[in-house]
Structure formats: structure tokens, C-alpha cells
């Protein structure tokens, strides 16, 4: 609250959470390791590039050490080498399943796991609500599921949300810069997919609190299905007399975010070229790629060099983005699973 009260955080900034691995996954991983340790023994552990605040009070049990420090998504090449397996065979199986496979179980020691497996990374979210008076922020979490697989970060935050409050979780504010520096003095085009709607929603809430009236020429929020729209009712309310400029695109019904731009290219051109507005993107990296191609096409149709025009928008900082890659394991994980005997298969991660 003290930090928030100083006005450091605002709509568009990020907060990073340090997740904790699910206990059942950690217990399974421990069971697959070489049992040359006393489970009740406590140890001290140092995690690269993390200070002590990222860990519980030391010393830790081995279960706590893995829960708070090790990424269990997939084994590293170093871990595969220790087990005598080629890196193109089982590298998209989760760590807890990998160490329990026939021929691997009992071969890898705890120390080898700690030294050769990558650290558990923080998960960054852009707040959907910033209340400086109360010292509170809100985030939107979309829990990742694919078969039995449950996302480490989203699953952890979803569990915390169901606990009796208050609960303490490790995290920090990204104070380096505003990821999406909204300019209330210029026309805006807002584009988002999934939980990427969060910073746009925070901006609208902030504007209402401060009595500001952003000029939103177009707000397109994308999801997969009609039922996947996040916060649509509140967005429509906050849009006020500009509500007709808000569109939800369900990709399985009426297309992707960029198709809304093509549906009204004159509005896009007028907002960005004539009135020198800014376009704000938040969501998947692929959306950014598709949107930039669409903007170039709109410019070309207006008789200018499309790619050069897009570069001009970038140089003038009138394209602002906060995007992330999709689950980088999913496609390769699914391909790897096809090579495994049925008794060794494990669900792949993804939405």
C-alpha cells in the first residue's frame, strides 16, 4: 500500500508473481529421484538471479526447495544427458513424469536436478484495476488447462484466490517503465486478446476515477468462443457514449481482432493518420503480427507505402504493445507425445 500510495503504479504497468509448484507434482518428482537422501533433512539452497525474498525461510525441506525454485515444465538437455537420453526424444515430457519413466527412475539425484533444471520463472500480469487510495490492484487470471495438465502460475494464483483471505504471495512491481503508456490527449485504438484486456480495462477504470474522457475510436477484444469474453459488461458501461466502438470478436464465430480493423478501415486511417492517434496492443504475439500486416494493407489501400507507414507509427511511438508468445511447448509437446508408448504419455500444456 505504501508503494501504491506514492503513485508509482498506474494503468499499463506490470506486476510479477513468483509461483509455487503444485505439491502433488513435487511429490511425484521427488519419488522419481535417486533415494539417497533423508526426506526429513532440511537444506539451504541458493537460486540464481533471485534474492532471499523469493524463497521461504531457510533451511528448507527438499519438497519446499523444488516447489519454490524448479521449473517442472520439461527437463533440460543437461538433465536428459544425465539420464542417457537424446535431447530429441523425451524433452517435452514434464519433469515429474520424466524422472519416473522406466530406465530413468532412480538415476537422477536431487543435487543433479537442482543444478541442471532451469529456475521457476516469475509470471507477469498487467493489473486490471489500480486503486491508489486503497493501495490495491486487481489482476485477471485465465487458468491454463490441457487434459490433466494445469498451468503452474495460473493454477497457483487460482488456488490462492479460493483461500481464506488475506494470503501473502511473493511478487514485485515492474517499475522500469509503463508497458502501455496511455496518452489521454490523443485518439486511441485498443486491441486485446484474452487476459490482455486487463490494461485497457485498468485505463478505463482510471479514466473514470480521474474524470478523464479518452477518445476511443475502436476497442476490439478477442477470444476463442462467445463465452470467453472477459469483463464485456463493465467495458460497455465504462465506454459510455462510445460503446458502439467496442467489439468482441470470437474467432470461432466472427473472426480475429485484425478483421475488425478491415471491417472499418476508414475509421482506422482517420484515427491514426489524420488525427495522429495511437494504437495499443495487448495479448498474444501473433495478434501483433497480424495487426501490423493489416495496418500496412490499410495504408497501401490509401496510396502509401504500407510497411514504411507502419515503421513511422513505431518510430513516433504510436504503436504501443505488451504481447507474449503462446505456450511455446504445446506444438512440440504434442509432437513428442506421438512418439511415446501410450503408457508413457502425459497431457501437454495449453489453453
Amino acid at each position: 500500500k505504501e508503494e501504491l500510495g506514492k503513485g508509482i503504479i498506474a494503468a499499463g504497468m506490470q506486476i510479477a508473481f513468483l509461483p509455487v509448484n503444485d505439491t502433488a507434482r513435487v511429490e511425484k518428482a521427488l519419488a522419481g529421484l535417486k533415494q539417497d537422501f533423508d526426506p526429513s533433512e532440511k537444506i539451504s539452497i541458493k537460486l540464481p538471479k533471485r534474492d532471499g525474498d523469493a524463497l521461504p525461510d531457510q533451511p528448507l525441506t527438499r519438497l519446499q526447495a523444488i516447489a519454490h525454485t524448479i521449473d517442472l515444465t520439461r527437463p533440460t538437455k543437461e538433465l536428459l544427458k544425465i539420464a542417457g537420453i537424446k535431447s530429441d526424444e523425451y524433452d517435452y515430457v514434464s519433469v515429474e513424469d520424466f524422472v519416473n519413466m522406466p530406465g530413468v527412475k532412480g538415476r537422477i539425484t536431487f543435487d543433479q536436478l537442482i543444478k541442471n533444471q532451469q529456475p521457476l520463472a516469475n509470471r507477469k500480469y498487467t493489473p486490471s484495476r489500480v486503486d491508489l487510495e486503497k493501495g490495491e490492484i486487481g489482476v485477471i487470471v485465465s487458468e491454463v488447462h490441457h487434459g490433466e495438465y494445469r498451468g503452474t502460475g495460473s493454477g497457483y494464483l487460482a488456488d490462492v484466490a479460493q483461500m481464506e483471505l488475506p494470503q501473502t504471495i511473493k511478487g514485485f512491481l515492474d517499475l522500469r517503465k509503463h508497458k502501455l503508456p496511455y496518452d489521454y490527449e490523443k485518439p486511441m485504438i485498443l486491441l486485446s486478446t484474452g487476459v490482455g484486456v486487463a490494461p485497457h480495462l485498468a485505463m478505463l477504470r482510471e479514466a473514470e476515477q480521474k474524470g478523464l474522457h479518452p477518445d476511443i475510436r475502436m476497442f476490439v477484444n478477442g477470444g476463442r468462443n462467445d463465452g470467453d469474453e472477459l469483463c464485456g459488461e463493465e467495458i460497455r458501461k465504462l465506454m459510455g457514449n462510445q460503446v458502439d466502438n467496442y467489439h468482441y470478436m470470437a474467432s470461432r464465430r466472427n473472426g480475429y481482432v485484425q478483421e475488425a480493423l478491415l471491417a472499418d478501415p476508414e475509421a482506422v486511417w482517420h484515427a491514426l493518420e489524420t488525427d495522429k492517434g495511437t494504437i495499443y496492443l495487448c495479448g498474444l504475439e501473433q495478434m501483433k503480427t497480424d495487426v501490423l500486416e493489416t495496418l500496412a494493407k490499410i495504408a497501401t489501400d490509401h496510396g502509401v507505402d504500407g510497411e514504411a507507414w507502419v515503421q513511422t507509427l513505431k518510430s513516433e511511438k504510436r504503436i504501443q504493445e505488451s504481447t507474449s508468445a503462446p505456450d511455446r511447448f504445446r506444438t512440440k509437446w504434442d509432437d513428442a507425445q506421438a512418439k511415446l508408448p501410450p503408457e508413457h504419455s502425459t497431457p501437454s500444456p495449453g489453453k
Side-chain angles (χ1 to χ4, degrees):
K1 184 173 182 178
E2 180 182 354
E3 292 274 314
L4 293 171
K6 293 177 182 177
I8 293 175
I9 192 168
M13 294 188 74
Q14 288 190 331
I15 183 168
F17 295 106
L18 302 176
V20 179
N21 285 311
D22 180 73
T23 301
R25 295 185 68 188
V26 177
E27 290 176 341
K28 185 175 181 179
L30 272 175
L33 299 178
K34 185 176 182 179
Q35 300 298 301
D36 58 351
F37 55 84
D38 179 357
S40 63
E41 179 188 13
K42 290 195 173 183
I43 59 174
S44 294
I45 188 170
K46 184 178 181 181
L47 184 63
K49 300 181 181 179
R50 290 277 178 86
D51 57 32
D53 290 340
L55 299 171
D57 294 335
Q58 301 209 45
L60 309 172
T61 65
R62 283 175 169 77
L63 188 147
Q64 288 176 315
I66 295 177
H68 290 270
T69 68
I70 298 300
D71 186 344
L72 296 177
T73 305
R74 61 168 180 164
T76 59
K77 291 183 178 180
E78 292 77 13
L79 212 61
L80 293 167
K81 186 176 181 180
I82 292 170
I85 292 177
K86 294 180 180 179
S87 61
D88 61 350
E89 292 181 354
Y90 296 120
D91 54 342
Y92 288 95
V93 177
S94 65
V95 170
E96 70 269 24
D97 285 336
F98 172 72
V99 297
N100 279 282
M101 286 182 174
V104 178
K105 186 170 184 177
R107 292 187 61 177
I108 297 173
T109 67
F110 175 83
D111 288 343
Q112 287 173 330
L113 177 69
I114 293 294
K115 292 177 181 178
N116 293 283
Q117 190 59 26
Q118 60 193 22
L120 186 60
N122 62 60
R123 269 56 170 184
K124 291 185 178 180
Y125 290 84
T126 305
S128 59
R129 178 176 61 87
V130 177
D131 191 324
L132 295 177
E133 286 190 11
K134 293 182 179 180
E136 296 177 352
I137 61 173
V139 296
I140 299 174
V141 178
S142 178
E143 189 175 355
V144 175
H145 279 283
H146 190 76
E148 296 178 5
Y149 177 89
R150 190 171 184 237
T152 302
S154 62
Y156 169 64
L157 292 177
D159 286 344
V160 170
Q162 298 301 317
M163 296 176 183
E164 184 177 349
L165 300 178
Q167 295 286 331
T168 299
I169 58 177
K170 300 287 185 179
F172 58 90
L173 299 178
D174 184 350
L175 302 179
R176 294 169 296 177
K177 62 178 181 178
H178 282 205
K179 297 293 289 185
L180 287 174
Y182 294 99
D183 186 343
Y184 291 98
E185 301 300 318
K186 295 180 180 178
M188 300 180 185
I189 292 178
L190 310 176
L191 306 178
S192 59
T193 55
V195 295
V197 73
H200 300 336
L201 178 57
M203 181 275 294
L204 290 173
R205 288 168 168 169
E206 181 179 80
E208 183 183 51
Q209 289 175 355
K210 295 181 178 180
L212 301 173
H213 303 283
D215 180 6
I216 302 172
R217 302 293 178 86
M218 187 179 291
F219 186 161
V220 186
N221 183 25
R224 186 173 297 177
N225 303 299
D226 286 320
D228 294 337
E229 182 181 14
L230 296 175
C231 307
E233 184 176 344
E234 182 180 3
I235 291 172
R236 289 178 177 87
K237 181 179 178 182
L238 291 170
M239 289 283 288
N241 60 8
Q242 299 180 99
V243 67
D244 290 342
N245 296 341
Y246 173 74
H247 311 279
Y248 175 70
M249 300 291 287
S251 61
R252 289 183 172 175
R253 175 177 58 86
N254 60 348
Y256 295 92
V257 167
Q258 66 272 13
E259 293 175 46
L261 302 180
L262 288 175
D264 196 355
E266 292 305 318
V268 174
W269 183 254
H270 190 73
L272 297 179
E273 176 61 21
T274 307
D275 292 341
K276 305 302 179 184
T278 303
I279 186 167
Y280 300 86
L281 312 170
C282 191
L284 294 176
E285 183 74 20
Q286 185 59 49
M287 176 192 68
K288 181 189 80 170
T289 301
D290 294 338
V291 165
L292 296 185
E293 289 178 356
T294 301
L295 291 177
K297 181 181 185 309
I298 290 173
T300 299
D301 291 344
H302 281 80
V304 302
D305 184 323
E307 291 187 5
W309 184 72
V310 169
Q311 288 302 317
T312 298
L313 293 180
K314 289 181 177 181
S315 66
E316 294 176 352
K317 297 183 178 180
R318 292 196 292 122
I319 294 178
Q320 295 290 339
E321 62 182 81
S322 178
T323 57
S324 60
D327 195 317
R328 62 189 183 279
F329 304 119
R330 182 170 186 178
T331 300
K332 290 185 178 180
W333 186 307
D334 288 339
D335 290 344
Q337 286 300 304
K339 302 176 184 177
L340 295 177
E343 64 270 19
H344 291 166
S345 8
T346 186
S348 64
K351 290 188 178 179

